[in-house]
């Protein structure tokens, strides 16, 4: 049962995360935005390879790097996704706020499409 619960939580988080990644907000330099977009793409590819809780460990550093590079308009959304992954990683799927994860993913999705011209669904 725990494996099924983890799989469901992982799938939910992966969908939320893979539906978007952010980019520059107009105040970022072109170089920062380019670096950010490359890191978003790399993190998206790693997310598509998640098969177990152990796999999350390797992805967390990439996600935190992206969050730290994110423009202010989506930084909190990245934090929401990271908190979701941390909850799933610890087995605390009951605390996952599905609605907050969905909203964060949608907001990030808009940002990445506008600023990075990436479709995260195609990275998997």
């Amino acid at each position: 049962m725990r494996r099924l619960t983890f799989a469901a939580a992982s799938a939910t988080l992966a969908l939320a995360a893979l539906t978007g990644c952010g980019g520059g907000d107009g105040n970022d330099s072109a170089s920062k935005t380019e670096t950010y977009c490359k890191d978003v793409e790399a993190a998206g590819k790693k997310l598509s390879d998640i098969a177990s809780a152990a796999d999350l460990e390797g992805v967390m550093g990439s996600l935190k790097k992206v969050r730290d590079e994110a423009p202010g308009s989506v930084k909190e959304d990245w934090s929401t996704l990271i908190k979701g992954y941390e909850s799933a990683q610890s087995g605390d799927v009951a605390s996952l706020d599905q609605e907050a994860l969905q909203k964060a993913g949608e907001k990030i999705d808009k940002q990445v499409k506008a600023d990075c011209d990436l479709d995260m669904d195609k990275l998997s």
Side-chain angles (χ1 to χ4, degrees):
M1 180 67 175
R2 183 168 185 217
R3 182 176 225 184
L4 179 61
T5 302
F6 173 77
S10 182
T12 298
L13 290 168
L15 283 174
L18 290 175
T19 59
C21 301
D25 62 3
N27 296 325
D28 293 343
S29 70
S31 177
K32 283 185 176 181
T33 300
E34 184 178 331
T35 299
Y36 175 75
C37 292
K38 286 180 182 179
D39 289 342
V40 164
E41 185 173 18
K45 288 179 182 178
K46 287 181 182 180
L47 284 170
S48 69
D49 292 335
I50 291 176
S52 70
D55 294 338
L56 283 174
E57 189 70 36
V59 174
M60 293 307 291
S62 295
L63 290 176
K64 289 177 180 178
K65 181 178 180 182
V66 168
R67 179 206 50 211
D68 294 344
E69 295 172 343
S73 63
V74 292
K75 191 174 289 278
E76 185 60 33
D77 298 298
W78 277 108
S79 291
T80 298
L81 291 177
I82 290 168
K83 287 176 190 173
Y85 276 108
E86 289 171 339
S87 293
Q89 190 175 23
S90 70
D92 184 17
V93 294
S95 70
L96 294 176
D97 183 342
Q98 301 289 333
E99 187 175 333
L101 289 169
Q102 180 67 30
K103 287 180 181 180
E106 289 171 359
K107 188 172 178 185
I108 291 169
D109 187 41
K110 287 181 184 180
Q111 191 71 32
V112 76
K113 285 180 182 175
D115 295 335
C116 298
D117 195 30
L118 288 174
D119 184 350
M120 296 302 289
D121 291 332
K122 293 184 180 181
L123 294 178
S124 54

